[in-house]
Amino acid sequence: MQNFESFKRFFETPQKVIITTHQNPDADALGSSLGLYNFLKNRGHEVKVITPTPYPSFLNWMHGNDSVLIYTEMDHQNVLRLFEEATAVFCLDFSTLSRINELGEIVRETKSKKILIDHHLDPESFADYMLWSTEAAATAELVFELIDQLQATNEIDEHIAECLYAGIMTDTGSFRHSSTTAKVHRIVAELIDHGANVNRVSKLIYDNNSINRIKFVGYAISEKLYVHEDLNMAYIKISKEEIAKYDLKSGDTEGLVNYALSIKGINIAAILMEKEGLIKMSFRSIGDFSVNEFARENFGGGGHKNAAGGASKESLDATEEKFLTAIFHSKKQLNYEF
Ligand code: 5GP
Ligand code: MN
């Protein structure tokens, strides 16, 4: 972080802090936010976490969850007042203000200090301080680094350790993605030393399936998986009716795209999912094909080189057509060897 000394000095006196993170928060978004929340609160700051939308219930175990405010469930005037009173706003796990919906413009306008902590590509420049690295496997890793730079790792208790561990575990795909460096393992070892219970966290996050969700995964794989072996590409397409039939809750489709990517020979995978008024897409790749660029150019999205997302306002079938055309086009344009 540039101007680290000035950042450090600013937080030597108690501040009124808001921490926010991207819409549909995942374990890294919420884990890095609540890890930082607990750390700053223990240091005597007044801290609030505000998420743009609700998040899956398998994250509710995180310490501090009970005090998280959800923008869509709040009175707008109350939100404006909180941002007016805040002296510092942390933006975690997103790089462009459009990722936090209506909160984006509120953050842009606030007079408070703005701090971006993130590992996504192409950051927008709106922050006074930036701790940003695309080399970081997770935003939770960067929060750990910040605490380390403040020479305060001795203040990491089991709650902070478990929030940060959850973010790193999930964003590395349980320590399997290429982002899993030796440094990641060293940080995780330290989190375990500070009380993170790896078995507990892993069970809370991964072994929390509803019966419906498991049945839905089976259905999606057997009926809704389309494989284009010639393109080394596979995708899953899910309609609104199917989501309703299996009574899926927020987060229930998370990880589904990885089944498509796990097929031998497949190095591009996607999921197209019909939500209210929009098709949400997740993209994954192995190797050189940048799904970040693909998502940005075709579906107004972004993310990381090998994991990105986007959306479309067209119908599910029209989106599927557009997706397939774009994949063919990318293949030609990038001369990418599938
Ligand atoms: P997921 O597919 O798991 O929702 O997201 C994969 C990665 O892409 C995450 O880092 C996420 O933040 C990012 N991402 C997902 N959807 C979008 C989107 O619509 N726009 C942008 N800019 N990034 C996204
Ligand atoms: Mn992340």
Side-chain angles (χ1 to χ4, degrees):
M1 179 190 285
Q2 284 185 329
N3 309 327
F4 176 72
E5 287 307 318
S6 136
F7 170 87
K8 190 174 161 190
R9 229 174 303 121
F10 184 74
F11 283 95
E12 271 161 11
T13 49
Q15 300 297 334
K16 282 191 160 193
V17 178
I18 292 177
I19 300 172
T20 189
T21 189
H22 62 77
Q23 54 166 304
N24 302 321
D26 56 12
D28 187 34
L30 196 71
S32 59
S33 296
L34 284 176
L36 182 65
Y37 164 88
N38 289 307
F39 172 75
L40 292 174
K41 202 157 165 269
N42 292 348
R43 286 198 140 196
H45 300 286
E46 193 184 314
V47 196
K48 291 189 166 53
V49 174
I50 305 181
T51 61
T53 66
Y55 47 84
S57 58
F58 62 78
L59 301 176
N60 287 349
W61 57 270
M62 289 186 186
H63 194 73
N65 169 71
D66 292 347
S67 59
V68 173
L69 301 168
I70 299 167
Y71 172 75
T72 46
E73 296 168 7
M74 289 172 81
D75 170 57
H76 189 69
Q77 290 307 318
N78 191 19
V79 178
L80 294 178
R81 188 180 51 78
L82 291 178
F83 275 91
E84 251 166 48
E85 289 171 2
T87 56
V89 175
F90 281 87
C91 296
L92 265 57
D93 203 37
F94 67 91
S95 61
T96 55
L97 288 171
S98 61
R99 293 280 290 142
I100 55 172
N101 308 343
E102 289 88 356
L103 283 177
E105 289 316 303
I106 302 176
V107 170
R108 197 193 297 284
E109 297 299 322
T110 170
K111 302 275 181 299
S112 67
K113 292 268 182 248
K114 297 170 202 125
I115 306 105
L116 176 79
I117 306 182
D118 181 49
H119 66 139
H120 291 89
L121 293 157
D122 311 315
E124 190 178 334
S125 84
F126 64 88
D128 299 287
Y129 301 100
M130 270 174 93
L131 180 55
W132 174 79
S133 168
T134 53
E135 314 253 294
T139 298
E141 177 183 341
L142 293 172
V143 170
F144 177 91
E145 270 183 24
L146 181 68
I147 296 174
D148 191 29
Q149 281 166 24
L150 291 165
Q151 298 176 318
T153 52
N154 59 324
E155 293 170 34
I156 296 178
D157 59 18
E158 76 267 29
H159 302 307
I160 298 172
E162 290 194 342
C163 289
L164 298 183
Y165 180 83
I168 298 174
M169 175 185 80
T170 52
D171 261 25
T172 56
S174 298
F175 311 101
R176 293 184 306 143
H177 297 161
S178 54
S179 55
T180 313
T181 56
K183 185 170 158 197
V184 164
H185 281 291
R186 280 189 206 102
I187 290 173
V188 159
E190 211 164 319
L191 294 176
I192 296 168
D193 281 342
H194 285 278
N197 181 331
V198 300
N199 185 242
R200 190 181 101 88
V201 174
S202 147
K203 284 198 87 58
L204 285 166
I205 290 195
Y206 294 127
D207 300 341
N208 229 331
N209 287 308
S210 63
I211 299 167
N212 273 355
R213 198 230 169 209
I214 280 295
K215 291 195 170 173
F216 166 74
V217 171
Y219 166 75
I221 293 172
S222 65
E223 306 290 332
K224 305 304 305 240
L225 172 71
Y226 305 92
V227 184
H228 288 248
E229 283 186 82
D230 51 333
L231 296 172
N232 298 76
M233 184 275 284
Y235 67 99
I236 293 171
K237 177 183 155 195
I238 304 293
S239 71
K240 228 169 37 197
E241 290 74 27
E242 288 158 333
I243 290 177
K245 183 177 170 207
Y246 285 89
D247 191 24
L248 297 185
K249 302 281 183 290
S250 136
D252 276 351
T253 51
E254 222 166 88
L256 199 55
V257 67
N258 295 319
Y259 288 103
L261 196 65
S262 74
I263 300 166
K264 191 173 173 186
I266 295 300
N267 50 28
I268 298 181
I271 176 161
L272 283 57
M273 214 169 9
E274 189 177 14
K275 300 253 164 121
E276 217 43 70
L278 121 166
I279 311 299
K280 183 76 193 112
M281 283 167 281
S282 284
F283 307 111
R284 299 291 185 270
S285 67
I286 298 167
D288 285 343
F289 187 82
S290 168
V291 284
N292 170 59
E293 276 173 38
F294 180 79
R296 209 180 48 204
E297 281 165 17
N298 298 291
F299 297 107
H304 310 280
K305 185 179 164 202
N306 296 127
S312 150
K313 288 262 159 72
E314 295 178 66
S315 71
L316 185 56
D317 288 340
T319 303
E320 181 185 24
E321 272 306 306
K322 189 174 168 193
F323 164 71
L324 289 171
T325 309
I327 284 284
F328 280 113
H329 184 68
S330 300
K331 187 189 175 199
K332 258 195 266 161
Q333 192 185 37
L334 301 171
N335 196 20
Y336 176 66
E337 279 297 315
F338 284 97

